[in-house]
Every structure is written in structure tokens, then in C-alpha cells.
Amino acid sequence: MKLDFERSLTCSFTGHRDIPDAKAAALLELLFKTIRTLHLERGYCNFICGGAVGFDQLAAEAVLAMRALYPDIRLYLILPFPGYDEKWESWQRDARDSLLREADGSIYMAKAHYPGVYYKRDRMLVNLSSVTVAYLHKKRGGTFYTAGYAFESDHEIINLAKELPGVYNTK
């Protein structure tokens, strides 16, 4: 797949894998609200996710739900390499496979794992978009790296964790 869409109309997502069950429904509502606002008020129609469990899958599911209401919305998955999900539970792979079937396109960053491939995928998410919607509440890991890269790139970041009571911290 050739990634051929307007960066100024593209939103990426980054977030932690661990979403407490007590926060998932509120986070999903924030995703719906944010996607709707970006689409209706700012013209965003392309949404890209990294294909990980947790926030990535939740964001992709929200985009697909919003696409049912707004058919011009598109979902693209930027995946690290084939087999990156081999240690996942079968239900997690099934959910990802469903997203792959429903997405408007997907691409792998590499043919196989190598050191740094996840960071390459994370930078690609930022480089292809003009705004990143994040679920960031830890100062470590891939989400923190991606948000830092976006910040250094003078990229707009919307951190949904700051809107969830009792989630955001600086550890």
C-alpha cells in the first residue's frame, strides 16, 4: 500500500497498552468526542494507528465506529513487522485481524524484527500526521517516546489521559 494522504488532514494515535477496565468506557467516549471534533470542526478524515493492543486497538475501533457515521473517514494501520503479535493472546490477534480487515489500508515498516523497528513505526505515525491523540500517563515506554518525538517536531498533541480523573501522573 502506498501511503498517499494529506498530512494536514491526518491524525495519529499513541497510547499505553494497559487501560484499567474502570477507565475504558470513559476513554472510549473521549475518543469518540475527539475524533468527531477533529473530523467535523477541523476536516480530519485520515486516522492512523500503530496496531498494538490497548489504546491502539481502542482508537482503531473508535475510528471504525465513527466511519459508520461519517463515510469519508479512513483508518490506516502502520504495523512494525509480520509476526510482531506472536506473543499476544489469541483473542488479541483476532481483534487485530478484524481491524486489518476493516481498515482502509495497512503497511509493515519492516519484513522482520530488528532493534529500533518499533521506534521507526512510532516516528512514521508522527511524520504522516499533523496531530497525535495520546493516552499518555507514564514517563517511560513507546508512548512516551512517540509523544516526545511529536513534541520535538512541533506537532500538536492531545493527551486524553489528562481528561480522565485519577489517571494522569508524572511518574
Side-chain angles (χ1 to χ4, degrees), residues 17-118:
R17 291 184 193 103
D18 59 319
I19 301 172
D21 290 340
K23 303 291 182 188
L27 183 56
L28 186 59
E29 282 302 314
L30 282 172
L31 277 164
F32 287 143
K33 177 184 169 191
T34 303
I35 294 165
R36 185 181 310 109
T37 298
L38 286 170
H39 182 64
L40 295 178
E41 296 179 14
R42 296 176 57 183
Y44 282 76
C45 53
N46 304 308
F47 296 86
I48 54 178
C49 294
V53 296
F55 185 74
D56 280 7
Q57 285 189 341
L58 194 65
E61 290 167 2
V63 170
L64 290 174
M66 296 304 289
R67 186 177 70 183
L69 299 173
Y70 309 105
D72 57 328
I73 285 179
R74 299 287 174 258
L75 172 66
Y76 301 96
L77 300 176
I78 311 295
L79 308 170
F81 58 91
Y84 75 99
D85 60 347
E86 68 182 22
K87 294 182 181 178
W88 291 9
E89 300 288 333
S90 62
W91 66 269
Q92 293 169 319
R93 285 192 304 277
D94 290 345
R96 194 277 327 273
D97 289 347
S98 177
L99 293 175
L100 276 170
R101 285 190 299 276
E102 296 294 323
D104 295 286
S106 63
I107 189 170
Y108 286 102
M109 295 304 305
K111 292 180 181 179
H113 179 269
Y114 63 84
V117 69
Y118 289 101

